[in-house]
Amino acid sequence: MIALFIDFARRFARNRAALVGLFLVLVVIGVAIAAPWWFPRNPLRIVGRPEIWPFVSPRYPLGTDSLGRDIAAMTAYGARTTLLIGLCASLTATIIGITVGATAAYVGGWVDELLMRLTELFQTIPNLIFVLTIVSILGQKIEYVTIAVGVVTWTPIARLTRAEFMSLRDREFVQACRAMGMGSLRIMFGEILPNALPPVIVLSSLVIAGAVLFESAVAFLGLGDPNVTSWGQLIGDGRTLIRSSWYICAVPGLAIMLTVLALNLVGDGLNDALNPKLRDR
Amino acid sequence: MRRIIIRRLVQIIPLIFAVIVMNFVLIHLAPGSLFDVMTSEQQITDPAMLDQLRHTYGVDQPVTVQLAKYIWSVMRLDLGYSYRQNAPVFDVIMQQLPATLILMLAAIGIALLVGVTAGVMASIKVNTIWDNLISLGAVFFFAAPSFWLGIMMTVMFAVKLGWFPVGGMRTIGVDESAIGAVLDVMHHLVLPATALGLFYAATFARVMRASMLEVARLDFVRTARAKGLSGGRVVLAHVMRNAMLPIVTLLGLQLGTMLGGSVVIEAVFSWPGIGSLLFDSVMSRNFPMVLGVLILGSLLVAVCNATVDLLYLRLDPRIKAR
Amino acid sequence: MIMGSTAGPTPILSIENLQVSLFTRRGVLPAVDGLSLTVSAGETLAIVGESGCGKSLTALAIMRLLPNPPAKIVGGAVRFMGRDLAALSEREMQRVRGKDISMIFQDPMTSLNPVVAVGDQLIEAIRRHNEVSRHEARDRAVELLRRVRIPDAERRLNDYPHQMSGGMSQRVMIAMAIACGPKLLIADEPTTALDVTIQAQIIELMKELQSSSDMGLIIITHDLGVVAEVADRVAVMYAGRKVEEAPVEALFERPLHRYTRGLLGATPSAQRRRGSRLVEITGNVPALSDLPQGCAFQNRCPDVFDRCRAERPQLASLLPHRSAACFAAEKELSRDAAAIGA
């Protein structure tokens, strides 16, 4: 087990870009965790003069926004929202995707047909429009945003899980399980799933990046949860001031970009490490 | 060929049907009754009108009847009435649709042009500084949120340099010669289309590079070179033609995301398309409009998907054999 | 002169001391090592050997189509009609390919572009080297398809490769190769991927086309039946080197190199029939990265002796018109001579 992990880590580390990505992700996670200690008071509180540029005042290294709130504090707290929603949405998408894909492949027949049509349906619906519709009907709450993003991002995971299951379904070890009289659910989740998981994990990690982008778009449009800070929301708030203080938009935007970039790089690295066969394209 | 087209179009019907049913479910999930949802915050106070609405939505009837009624009305393209615009939802959406189509087409054009060119360049100069630069650029644009890119481009090219307008689709109060109007729209189109297109350009560049390298190794490329064709002709007529196929598939898969992306971009650039309409409707809780956009948007994506599939059929003769 | 002897006319192609190396992570491997060959107009040279012996790389080196990386010409000359092809610029070489020298490949099903109609692929080859209108090129394409015996040629122009059988595709490849009347045609295992009956037809077609045009032909093959049928002269390659060269009858009559003997089976005069494959020789070809001192064939040779392990045999004219690089053969021949003398 440990040897396996070391082998995995070595292959991951061979991808230099993935290491950079991992470092960046750890930094963002660190900031998210440290935010309450670093900025113990409410980040949405007004601290000083509005529109102080970054690197001007040592007390507000990233400046203040139009209301005089500390951009550094808001960005740090925004990391929490963004990561939380990204992770939970990806988890939602993964659970839906694995369930749909595994069932479709294992049961087959009309169930497979129906579930694949469903997948197609969710691929056809313009996803951001769907997210906005859900959020506007159910209400602007962080849970609903998370679920909505999960609901529009599960389709690739379902397709991949289905394909993996299809190829594993008829292998000897599965047939052996069946011959032993093992139940369908136990075979599906106990025997096949662990073998199908590596590529699915890679895709899930990439879905986090996509979810972060979705969440930021929703928040940017002002449809996120108004009670929590998020990077998209900061950009949305700063938009009116681009003539005088464009940095208000620039800082959280860079944060989104670097986070998504880092997540993508880590995803690529995981791909190299977990699917060595697929690596040499 | 006509049979294939018709068959492909027929496949759209159950899809749209499912979208309608899902809409209905969504409305029922909402807090409050269907009626509340459909009329909320539209400032309808006239009791006669309220009665009429109650009847149209069949609020007093069982759920199945309501569903049947809803499906029936959508089939007749009756998506409800928007009191905000004082016009049927369908008409309002149709009026806004061309602007979105123009934006999407321009974005697709930019994405294909930039993405394919970059991917081909990177594959030809594989493992050189050019390849690395293009890959690096692709990684960045792949990670940048399009709305943020749009804002930053506005700051740079509209506010600081003044090359392009900050938003909108037409300059108000300028002479209306046909060519002048087209040029004016194109001038307004550059920034939003680029902001929307660059993400997809990044995707296309990555896929195109991999696909080019893959195809370049195939036997028929060697045959083409053995014929004495120049390097450029081999790349254009043989490698690229085959390497484009995955791009076409990808384009089909991403149309839905792209239409979604145009909502945000339209909001950034006040582009008068269905994205702005949706945004406005969501903000004013104008649900008939929101659901109408969702249905027609899905229909649009489904039709575009079918078109892309048919295009693929033309590009890859091997598919027809099936 | 250790080069194989040539019959009569001046050769159109003469390869002198060709060296092709593979630049791999494990180091530089000599894939073709000091190869010399000649081909005259109207003559057919067969290059025979197991896979990995460097015969296909030789063909690609003549065409300057080596996959680079990893393969590269590092020495020698490829003289074609007096010009050294190895020294031409890429642009000049493009004017030679498809016009003066053509090539057909092993797998016809993957050698044609799947998304372009075969007619267009033919027309492209014609128009590349001839200033003709599209219409004229089309007429010529039809005529070419007729020459390679494709029925209903006019209609077949619009077909795509997946609509054709392997034999048909190879005919198209041949039509494309002869489109501009080349002086030399290189066929790299042209029948290996085809059914046995189709193989015979393709070989027949190539012989016919050659006899009507006086072009030189290099045929690279595993198939000794094909060699017996078409070749005038045979060059046998092993581990990147030519180990024997002889006129075809002489070679089948009495193979000199022990490797050639292995290829032909135990009895040198055994009747060869079409489709008979190389007889398995025990042992493995040594890796290029790991060639032994002395003869590369020593670990598989039945007649190996001390000298073979110490010294690498060089090609030598052991009999009129033929050469071999084999100490066992030299010993045997000198013993024969001594017997006659005694």
Side-chain angles (χ1 to χ4, degrees), chain C:
Chain C
M1 200 68 194
I2 49 170
M3 220 178 65
S5 57
T6 50
T10 45
I12 47 172
L13 179 82
S14 80
I15 300 174
E16 288 151 26
N17 198 25
L18 179 69
Q19 314 258 2
V20 176
S21 289
L22 297 176
F23 292 80
T24 68
R25 248 175 292 166
R26 296 239 182 123
V28 181
L29 308 178
V32 176
D33 190 5
L35 180 76
S36 297
L37 287 172
T38 59
V39 185
S40 306
E43 187 195 30
T44 302
L45 170 74
I47 303 179
V48 186
E50 287 163 298
S51 42
C53 71
K55 54 193 196 307
S56 286
L57 285 179
T58 305
L60 291 173
I62 298 170
M63 291 294 277
R64 290 261 308 271
L65 287 176
L66 286 171
N68 178 21
K72 226 170 146 183
I73 298 178
V74 289
V78 180
R79 261 178 237 297
F80 176 77
M81 315 276 288
R83 287 200 288 177
D84 182 7
L85 298 184
L88 292 186
S89 73
E90 171 60 23
R91 197 167 269 273
E92 288 168 321
M93 193 60 212
Q94 282 165 9
R95 281 195 285 270
V96 174
R97 284 187 208 125
K99 182 164 183 286
D100 298 321
I101 310 180
S102 290
M103 185 162 176
I104 56 179
F105 301 96
Q106 179 169 348
D107 187 353
M109 303 296 269
T110 59
S111 292
L112 290 164
N113 189 334
V115 302
V116 179
V118 291
D120 290 336
Q121 299 189 48
L122 257 174
I123 290 168
E124 189 184 33
I126 296 165
R127 294 192 68 187
R128 167 65 187 162
H129 301 290
N130 299 285
E131 298 272 325
V132 291
S133 71
R134 225 194 123 71
H135 191 79
E136 277 174 89
R138 203 182 158 80
D139 291 345
R140 272 204 218 179
V142 174
E143 203 231 322
L144 279 167
L145 288 187
R146 290 207 183 107
R147 268 182 72 194
V148 296
R149 310 245 182 285
I150 288 184
D152 209 3
E154 205 118 4
R155 265 229 320 265
R156 282 297 198 170
L157 278 188
N158 302 320
D159 277 4
Y160 288 91
H162 72 276
Q163 293 166 301
M164 300 190 136
S165 65
M168 274 305 169
S169 302
Q170 196 61 299
R171 282 167 197 271
V172 172
M173 283 297 290
I174 293 173
M176 212 146 79
I178 60 167
C180 301
K183 302 191 176 59
L184 177 67
L185 175 63
I186 304 171
D188 185 3
E189 312 229 13
T191 58
T192 310
L194 303 175
D195 291 343
V196 179
T197 47
I198 310 292
Q199 289 182 1
Q201 294 171 14
I202 294 292
I203 291 296
E204 205 55 46
L205 176 68
M206 288 188 11
K207 270 169 78 175
E208 191 185 308
L209 290 172
Q210 188 196 17
S211 64
S212 65
S213 68
D214 205 37
M215 71 183 172
L217 178 63
I218 296 178
I219 190 157
I220 291 166
T221 184
H222 284 103
D223 186 337
L224 293 165
V226 170
V227 174
E229 192 151 344
V230 296
D232 298 316
R233 220 147 32 79
V234 185
V236 181
M237 286 183 72
Y238 188 79
R241 294 179 152 226
K242 183 169 78 175
V243 293
E244 177 159 12
E245 184 176 335
V248 67
E249 305 84 14
L251 187 89
F252 279 94
E253 191 67 37
R254 185 178 188 185
L256 293 179
H257 198 285
R258 293 319 189 238
Y259 174 61
T260 317
R261 269 193 202 173
L263 287 182
L264 295 179
T267 45
S269 56
Q271 279 291 315
R272 295 279 133 218
R273 251 177 282 137
R274 176 191 313 295
S276 63
R277 289 295 162 114
L278 299 187
V279 177
E280 274 304 319
I281 305 168
T282 51
N284 288 318
V285 187
L288 288 176
S289 54
D290 193 22
L291 287 178
Q293 199 191 1
C295 178
F297 190 59
Q298 54 178 279
N299 57 339
R300 306 168 76 187
C301 182
D303 301 331
V304 63
F305 61 106
D306 299 346
R307 196 180 168 199
C308 306
R309 296 205 180 86
E311 194 184 326
R312 183 179 265 192
Q314 299 295 318
L315 268 179
S317 284
L318 300 181
L319 287 171
H321 302 302
R322 50 187 310 190
S323 56
C326 180
F327 293 133
E330 277 177 32
K331 209 160 81 176
E332 182 186 300
L333 285 172
S334 56
R335 215 187 300 125
D336 286 1
I340 292 165

Side-chain angles (χ1 to χ4, degrees), chain A residues 43-44 65-66 69-79 216 219-220 228-240 247-253 255-256, chain B residues 147 151:
Chain A
L44 294 179
D65 73 351
S66 56
R69 298 179 296 188
D70 185 356
I71 292 182
M74 289 193 293
T75 308
Y77 275 87
S216 70
F220 166 74
V228 288
T229 24
S230 103
W231 292 338
Q233 189 192 29
L234 290 179
I235 300 176
D237 288 349
R239 224 183 104 201
T240 43
Y247 65 91
I248 301 173
C249 287
V251 171
I256 297 173
Chain B
F147 60 88
I151 293 173

Side-chain angles (χ1 to χ4, degrees), chain A residues 3 8-9 15 22-23 37 44-45 65 77 79 84 87 107 121 123 176 178 195 197 199 239 252 254 258 261-262:
Chain A
F8 163 80
N15 185 335
L22 185 66
F23 173 73
W37 284 278
L44 294 179
R45 136 197 99 93
D65 73 351
Y77 275 87
L84 192 68
L87 270 175
V107 180
L121 170 70
Q123 260 173 348
R178 230 175 264 143
N195 286 290
L197 219 44
R239 224 183 104 201
L254 279 173
L258 285 179
L261 182 80

Side-chain angles (χ1 to χ4, degrees), chain B residues 61-75:
Chain B
Q61 284 152 326
V63 177
T64 42
V65 178
Q66 290 182 31
L67 176 62
K69 275 198 149 180
Y70 184 65
I71 292 172
W72 175 237
S73 60
V74 174
M75 299 281 244

Side-chain angles (χ1 to χ4, degrees), chain B residues 242-256:
Chain B
N242 284 273
M244 277 299 283
L245 295 175
I247 297 283
V248 175
T249 309
L250 197 65
L251 179 66
L253 283 174
Q254 289 188 327
L255 280 169

Side-chain angles (χ1 to χ4, degrees), chain B residues 24-37:
Chain B
F24 187 79
V25 173
L26 266 181
I27 300 167
H28 277 262
L29 279 178
S33 73
L34 165 74
F35 180 70
D36 293 338
V37 171

Side-chain angles (χ1 to χ4, degrees), chain A residues 27 72 92 94 110 127 146 159 174 185 195 209 255 262:
Chain A
V27 167
T92 312
T94 308
W110 66 270
N127 41 26
T146 309
R159 280 175 181 277
V174 178
L185 277 181
N195 286 290

